[in-house]
Amino acid sequence: GTYNFPQGKTSVTLLEAIAMAGGFSDIANITKIKVMRKPHGGKSKVIHANAKAIISGKQRDVELEPGDVVHVMEALF
């Protein structure tokens, strides 16, 4: 779904946005997350993220921008 930045906040991180959306589903692959970004007048960009690495401090959390689309892949069983 679509989520607005919380009132009074000028930025939201990837993990904050996932929490706003209700967290990860049971079938989410938290190591394979894509953030699709299309800067004004620029080429589309894909940012790959790993929530497990972010939580452990091995990767920085992604600062989201207005219009970003977050896609969490499904885990294969």
Side-chain angles (χ1 to χ4, degrees):
T2 302
Y3 296 88
N4 295 319
F5 283 16
Q7 188 171 1
K9 286 195 76 159
T10 58
S11 66
V12 173
T13 67
L14 175 64
L15 292 184
E16 288 174 329
I18 290 170
M20 287 170 41
F24 293 106
S25 72
D26 292 338
I27 60 170
N29 184 343
I30 69 168
T31 64
K32 292 188 179 181
I33 303 170
K34 292 181 184 179
V35 177
M36 280 73 81
R37 177 172 293 162
K38 186 170 183 176
H40 288 62
K43 290 178 65 176
S44 294
K45 177 180 176 181
V46 176
I47 301 166
H48 297 274
N50 177 335
K52 190 173 182 179
I54 293 169
I55 293 166
S56 70
K58 295 178 183 174
Q59 182 179 347
R60 289 183 60 155
D61 204 349
V62 177
E63 196 79 24
L64 297 179
E65 296 179 3
D68 283 354
V69 176
V70 177
H71 180 75
V72 180
M73 307 302 264
E74 290 183 359
L76 298 175
F77 295 98

